[in-house]
Amino acid sequence: MRVWNLKAQTILAFFLVLGIGMLLLNAVSMQLWKRQALSADLDHGRSLLAAMARNLPAVGGAERFSTEVEQIVQSDAAVVCVAAANAQGKIINISGGCEHFTKALEGALANAVHSGAANSRLLSPPPGNDSNLQNNVLLVAQPFRSPDGSRGGVAMVRSTEPIDGQLWENEKIILVYILANAVVLAVVGFFRMVKLVVRPLERLAEQADTYSLRHDFLPFSGRVGNEFGRLSSSLNRMIAQLEEDRGALMQKVDSLRLANEELDRNRREMVRAEKMASIGRLAAGLAHEIGNPLGVVQGYLDLLGQGEVTSDERKEFARRAEQEVTRVGRLIRQLLDYARPVEGAPAPLRVRELLADCLELFRQGKVDGHIEFSFISEADEDLVLADGDGLRQIFVNCLMNAVDAIGPLPKGRILARCFNEQEGDRRYVRVVIEDNGPGIAQEHLESVFEPFFTTKEPGSGTGLGLAVSCSLVEKWGGRMWAESGRGEEGRGAAIWISLPLAPSASGGDSPSDNGMAA
């Protein structure tokens, strides 16, 4: 169907182009023919006026003038009226039918008498329906000198209707020939165009849709040297180059895919290594903290074994021992939650609850007994899309760095704040973890998130904690940066974490713990 539409459009275009061209040629030709016909009619009118002038008497003779006019009208039906003027250019005789052309005749006769030269021009038909003239008329005027020596001028108004009628008859014959020629030439041109252009292009399109490099892409057998043959050869070379480039691109894509997989594996190993280091340090602190509750439980068990203990005392000892065991279980459960593998799928979670849980882990673990942990929550909305294990690792890494920075100080303070912030058309929840340590040097602020960068003593850190944390935050659509209050009394480094709120986030489900401190 598409091919037939193309062919129909082709033959229609040929027909229209040929028809328009022939009509333009015909219009130009008709104008030339009309000009030639008017020139011949003008010469004929001048001949009639010259014959009439030779027979006009020098003086008077209205009857003689009328006789001459009648003879002219009888000899030529195109004559509308005739007029004559004296040597001063004033009309002395005028025939009937010239009522509408009197002014034009006066001007033409006066010009002919005074200049001694003939003149002519086309006049519009008279207005109204009182005249049979529908087309333009030709006014011819020329001077004369009679045999007796008198001078004057004669003029004639001629109708162009006979010329227009003859031209229209010829025009109808020409239009028939134009139509026939346009049809014949369009059909012939169509078949030639189909043979030379349409069919080769169809074969080109068909082979381009299902090209194969096993065969030459040359649909113009026997016409290799023409334009379409050269086009086919160019397409062959282009397709071969495209196939070669496609193969090279596929190799690059495969190599990039393997490289991305390797980078992903390395990143997971980095996260795992950093987490294991943090777990070791947390476990060392928890081991000492768990020993105290176990000692208390052992003491209560010894008291329960004594016979002089009353029933109420037994219940109280059992209750306290149960509290200590519950405390140990909670510490172990928190450590196991943190030790779970990262890379879970992002899911809605509450930032405040997770941050408070991590702070509780450090408080209970007594990582360093001289450090005070505080938490202030000012966030009305804290629901984000993130991986809970990954976000817990980020918080633990930041808290661990703060603990290491405070290490030598006699009294350390770590403050975690959570609040909302508007950026453009989105709302964010921001977490900042501050310490009162020595801070970060200004030249290191941009480097602390680079892999393997650390200011700790050799063997004290891997330099991967903040790099892994920043990578995870950016993966969830947030950002992470560091600030330093070095030189400001009572304030050290601050690590900022900004995460976009989940689309379904509304007012916080749980009340804000404004001002909550350890």
Side-chain angles (χ1 to χ4, degrees), residues 22 170-184:
M22 290 183 176
N170 296 335
E171 179 78 5
K172 289 191 289 187
I173 298 174
I174 293 173
L175 288 176
V176 173
Y177 278 108
I178 287 176
L179 180 61
N181 289 335
V183 171
V184 172

Side-chain angles (χ1 to χ4, degrees), residues 285-329:
L286 288 176
H288 173 73
E289 182 65 19
I290 290 174
N292 292 333
L294 290 180
V296 173
V297 172
Q298 182 65 41
Y300 284 136
L301 291 177
D302 291 341
L303 291 175
L304 289 173
Q306 298 177 6
E308 51 279 345
V309 178
T310 64
S311 176
D312 292 338
E313 290 177 335
R314 287 178 181 274
K315 291 180 180 180
E316 180 65 19
F317 293 157
R319 185 183 65 78
R320 292 182 179 181
E322 183 181 3
Q323 288 180 347
E324 297 298 325
V325 171
T326 301
R327 178 185 174 191
V328 171

Side-chain angles (χ1 to χ4, degrees), residues 406-453:
I406 293 173
L409 297 179
K411 182 64 175 179
R413 293 191 304 275
I414 295 178
L415 171 64
R417 292 193 298 123
C418 178
F419 58 94
N420 291 121
E421 205 54 58
Q422 185 79 25
E423 292 185 12
D425 56 350
R426 294 201 65 178
R427 294 199 71 196
Y428 290 77
V429 58
R430 285 186 175 175
V431 173
V432 56
I433 297 176
E434 302 175 281
D435 61 67
N436 64 335
I440 305 173
Q442 291 296 325
E443 61 270 19
H444 295 159
L445 284 177
E446 297 296 329
S447 303
V448 294
F449 296 102
E450 296 178 1
F452 306 109
F453 177 85

Side-chain angles (χ1 to χ4, degrees), residues 56 61-72 93-95:
L56 283 176
E63 295 179 358
R64 179 68 179 273
F65 180 79
S66 298
T67 302
E68 291 293 334
V69 170
E70 289 178 2
Q71 291 176 357
I72 292 173
N93 289 302
I94 187 169
S95 67

Side-chain angles (χ1 to χ4, degrees), residues 339-361:
R340 285 186 301 177
V342 185
E343 297 298 326
L349 57 89
R350 298 288 179 184
V351 174
R352 287 176 296 184
E353 297 175 1
L354 196 60
L355 182 57
D357 188 47
C358 292
L359 285 169
E360 184 66 18
L361 178 64

Side-chain angles (χ1 to χ4, degrees), residues 231-251:
L231 175 62
S232 299
S233 300
S234 299
L235 287 176
N236 272 331
R237 292 191 295 270
M238 182 188 71
I239 291 173
Q241 185 64 42
L242 286 175
E243 187 68 18
E244 182 179 348
D245 294 342
R246 188 176 69 86
L249 181 61
M250 293 302 296
Q251 292 179 356

